[in-house]
Amino acid sequence: MVRVIITATASRPLPEMDLAELAAREAIRDCLYRYCRGVDRADEAALRSAYWPDATDRHGPYQGDAEGFVVWAMTALRQTERSIHRITNVLIAFDDADTARVESCFDARQRQPDPAGRMRQWDLAGRYLDRFEQRGGAWRIADRLVVYDWVEEMPVPYGGEAERFGVRQPIGAPFPHDPLYAFLRHERVTDPAVDRQRLAGDEAGTVGREP
């Protein structure tokens, strides 16, 4: 079990942190990143792993327990065409050896149908205010409040994804089809059709002109 010795609730200079506290901070950040993977890849196991079973989440239109949030989120995510979350500015203050209060900023872009079935796209930014708890050596969210600082509806791009991405392959996909999962299994991520296109481009001297 990781035990953290806390001498102050505010952040302290690196030399004053012991290895246990550094490990706790890294575990908290890892949990935040797993949450983003869970949402962006519609990966239910990753999403659940960010919360304790008795956790609560006040998340915009959803207010309730973590189990209900996962069900609510996965229902929406199965209809989401694109979802990208980025976590920044993670500030961690420990209450004691097993509890921390964490503010982290998020940026998100999401494209999904509205209740009428029309595709919509949003640029969102805000902060997660999380109370983390350590149990059995693991740090997870025990309570979350989502604070929204920015929301803007964006124009939905014209055409389909195959047209937009072209040879920029592979593209992201929900679990289990995203290239990430083959990568984690130590499998080569490839697309034979794309390999043929790139080979043809090499022969024509066109590959590498555009990022």
Side-chain angles (χ1 to χ4, degrees):
M1 174 184 292
V2 176
R3 302 296 294 180
V4 182
I5 300 173
I6 303 300
T7 59
T9 57
S11 297
R12 292 177 281 119
L14 184 62
E16 297 182 24
M17 294 183 188
D18 62 20
L19 291 178
E21 181 175 334
L22 290 173
R25 288 175 177 274
E26 188 61 25
I28 288 170
R29 291 189 185 94
D30 186 76
C31 182
L32 291 169
Y33 300 150
R34 286 200 314 275
Y35 168 83
C36 291
R37 175 185 286 179
V39 173
D40 292 337
R41 303 276 68 82
D43 185 334
E44 185 171 345
L47 185 57
R48 286 185 182 278
S49 76
Y51 294 89
W52 290 116
D54 58 349
T56 56
D57 196 333
R58 290 164 287 172
H59 207 120
Y62 179 83
Q63 308 276 316
D65 59 28
E67 172 62 27
F69 171 74
V70 170
V71 173
W72 176 76
M74 290 301 300
T75 300
L77 292 172
R78 291 187 182 100
Q79 304 176 63
T80 299
E81 187 176 84
R82 289 284 142 200
S83 176
I84 297 293
H85 284 67
R86 289 167 292 189
I87 293 283
T88 60
N89 299 12
V90 180
L91 294 174
I92 303 170
F94 290 96
D95 291 338
D96 53 42
D98 298 310
T99 310
R101 297 181 185 273
V102 182
E103 178 192 40
S104 57
C105 297
F106 71 86
D107 293 292
R109 289 189 175 186
Q110 292 182 297
R111 185 186 306 138
Q112 61 193 82
D114 65 13
R118 298 168 298 187
M119 194 63 71
R120 293 287 186 266
Q121 183 167 286
W122 289 274
D123 184 7
L124 301 166
R127 285 162 290 141
Y128 300 128
L129 303 185
D130 295 322
R131 180 170 57 82
F132 270 79
E133 291 183 1
Q134 180 187 217
R135 305 178 189 177
W139 287 89
R140 297 185 186 181
I141 298 165
D143 179 68
R144 164 166 284 185
L145 171 63
V146 182
V147 179
Y148 293 92
D149 294 308
W150 183 272
V151 60
E152 182 176 356
E153 186 167 353
M154 304 167 64
V156 176
Y158 175 79
E161 295 216 307
E163 178 183 358
R164 287 196 294 273
F165 283 98
V167 296
R168 298 170 185 85
Q169 302 288 335
I171 63 175
F175 173 85
H177 307 293
D178 190 86
L180 165 72
Y181 300 99
F183 173 74
L184 293 176
R185 294 192 300 269
H186 300 268
E187 298 174 3
R188 180 170 180 264
V189 178
T190 185
D191 184 325
V194 173
D195 286 344
R196 287 194 298 272
Q197 288 178 327
R198 286 177 176 161
L199 179 60
D202 283 333
E203 293 172 348
T206 60
V207 170
R209 293 183 181 176
E210 187 178 338

